[in-house]
Amino acid sequence: MPVDFNGTWNLVSNDNFEGYMVALGIDFATRKIAKMLKPQKVIKQDGDSFHIHTTSTFRDYVLQFKIGQEFEEDNKGLDNRKCKSLVTWENDKLVCVQTGEKKNRGWTHWLEGDDLHLELRCENQVCRQVFKRA
Ligand code: VLZ
């Protein structure tokens, strides 16, 4: 049985989002706004299909994928760079590799107790986010 990520999750901590955004080339003005945000994630998981909606007062981002099926991701409203993304299970972690212009780009989701964790990686920067159930 895979882990169940279904639910609505509110950001409670956000370590080095600034470094992650700098690595992505997000401009100063956008970073100033973005780092104040407390995004919410709505995750819908049905078998191997996922729908992750990250919402905030500033911008929204929607990601839909199936485990093991590579897809083109446009990162619209983030850095707007296209990449090829592939999400797989690594034990109980959901691991995404985003292949493109930026080295070492990807993210990992996992559950720890009642918390949802997200590690966002780009080049030599790692951002660590923790979410609690809404
Ligand atoms: O999450 O890739 O859950 O896509 C932040 C929106 C969205 C706020 C961050 C605006 C998306 C930021 C992180 C403006 C620069 C992400 C994946 C894993 C799903």
Side-chain angles (χ1 to χ4, degrees):
M1 266 291 276
V3 180
D4 184 3
F5 289 98
N6 276 296
T8 300
W9 303 89
N10 290 332
L11 184 86
V12 293
S13 72
N14 195 0
D15 177 39
N16 196 36
F17 191 45
E18 171 70 9
Y20 175 75
M21 288 192 291
V22 169
L24 283 176
I26 307 292
D27 67 84
F28 177 81
T30 305
R31 293 201 313 270
K32 248 179 84 166
I33 298 167
K35 69 182 167 195
M36 301 304 293
L37 301 172
K38 294 274 177 266
Q40 185 175 69
K41 274 193 202 278
V42 179
I43 302 181
K44 290 178 179 145
Q45 176 181 351
D46 180 13
D48 274 351
S49 296
F50 283 79
H51 187 284
I52 301 181
H53 192 177
T54 308
T55 63
S56 76
T57 52
F58 178 52
R59 272 177 205 169
D60 285 15
Y61 190 70
V62 177
L63 192 69
Q64 270 185 277
F65 58 87
K66 282 189 175 147
I67 298 295
Q69 290 188 15
E70 193 175 58
F71 59 100
E72 182 153 301
E73 187 174 1
D74 62 13
N75 296 288
K76 203 166 161 47
L78 306 177
D79 65 322
N80 297 303
R81 273 190 204 86
K82 288 189 168 66
C83 60
K84 297 273 193 205
S85 299
L86 176 66
V87 185
T88 56
W89 287 109
E90 284 185 16
N91 299 312
D92 286 343
K93 293 187 173 183
L94 206 54
V95 178
C96 180
V97 175
Q98 295 171 306
T99 306
E101 199 183 318
K102 291 288 175 183
K103 299 286 179 230
N104 191 37
R105 183 171 185 174
W107 51 260
T108 301
H109 265 303
W110 70 96
L111 296 180
E112 232 175 83
D114 294 328
D115 298 340
L116 172 73
H117 286 248
L118 172 62
E119 180 182 280
L120 295 160
R121 298 175 293 275
C122 182
E123 297 183 326
N124 61 343
Q125 296 296 314
V126 180
C127 166
R128 291 186 178 83
Q129 300 186 336
V130 181
F131 297 79
K132 286 194 182 292
R133 283 197 188 274

